[in-house]
Amino acid sequence: SGKKTEYRIFKQHMYGGPMGLGDPYYRDLSKMEEDPMIPQRMRDITRTQLCRDLVREFSECSKNNGFSMVINCQQEKNCMVQCQKEWMEKTQFVEAVKEEYLNERSHYRQTGIKQTRYKRGKFIERDMENDPPLDSNGNYRPQKPKGWDETYTDGPPSWASFKYD
């Protein structure tokens, strides 16, 4: 017959889409995305955005106490860990972080615009002034992907369930 059959390792949703980067409408998470990616992102968000003051206090205490910080900074550490734990246990926060990631992935698959989250292993902090992490009810707001407003001038795409304001 002379016709070659193409075999692929990954599922079809990872190849299709308008840019050949995957289907933007596919909104499930792989095992690798579900764990460890989403929990790591949650830890980074709590550390850099939601528990900043407590992280700063623990960091200062550690800096000032050197090796004795293990003994002298217990209260600061416990407060920081408690803050992060409380956020990690909130269903709304977990779902918002997943939505944020899925919007970035779908946006990349739709446009080819990649959202850089880490630079040389360091989490890139959000612009807290222009894009606050909490809404008026104190819930976490997913961060808008780069190029979002310029790309979707007629409103958000149908695959996005969070409406950025």
Side-chain angles (χ1 to χ4, degrees):
S1 69
K3 212 175 179 190
K4 282 191 171 182
T5 306
E6 184 178 338
Y7 294 100
R8 293 195 168 177
I9 296 170
F10 299 112
K11 295 181 176 155
Q12 182 57 40
H13 65 80
M14 296 183 79
Y15 294 103
M19 308 284 288
L21 300 169
D23 181 5
Y25 290 90
Y26 182 76
R27 302 289 281 178
D28 288 338
L29 294 169
S30 70
K31 291 286 182 202
M32 186 65 177
E33 290 168 324
E34 213 164 289
D35 187 31
M37 266 181 67
I38 297 297
Q40 179 61 49
R41 180 180 274 223
M42 290 167 51
R43 279 190 295 278
D44 289 335
I45 290 169
T46 58
R47 186 175 43 78
T48 61
Q49 298 170 26
L50 306 173
C51 302
R52 286 171 80 151
D53 295 338
L54 296 169
V55 170
R56 192 178 305 114
E57 285 173 25
F58 176 67
S59 181
E60 287 296 317
C61 182
S62 298
K63 233 183 276 176
N64 296 336
N65 285 282
F67 287 117
S68 63
M69 60 80 72
V70 175
I71 298 161
N72 296 335
C73 301
Q74 281 298 310
Q75 184 178 351
E76 289 84 350
K77 184 194 86 155
N78 292 341
C79 290
M80 177 187 72
V81 168
Q82 184 61 34
C83 176
Q84 290 179 308
K85 187 174 183 277
E86 285 172 10
W87 277 103
M88 300 285 271
E89 291 173 350
K90 286 184 182 179
T91 307
Q92 183 278 330
F93 176 64
V94 175
E95 293 307 313
V97 172
K98 283 182 188 174
E99 179 67 22
E100 177 179 89
Y101 172 76
L102 289 170
N103 283 349
E104 288 174 10
R105 187 183 74 184
S106 291
H107 179 60
Y108 169 69
R109 289 176 171 183
Q110 182 88 38
T111 64
I113 300 171
K114 194 167 193 147
Q115 181 75 32
T116 307
R117 284 303 191 165
Y118 295 87
K119 189 167 191 159
R120 297 185 177 188
K122 188 176 187 315
F123 190 70
I124 298 171
E125 293 190 34
R126 177 183 202 144
D127 179 357
M128 304 285 274
E129 196 76 26
N130 297 317
D131 187 18
L134 301 177
D135 66 14
S136 57
N137 299 321
N139 292 319
Y140 180 73
R141 291 176 59 249
Q143 188 173 345
K144 191 186 297 186
K146 188 169 52 178
W148 185 271
D149 293 329
E150 299 80 16
T151 305
Y152 312 111
T153 53
D154 297 334
S158 58
W159 44 256
S161 38
F162 184 79
K163 308 297 182 228
Y164 299 99
D165 44 3

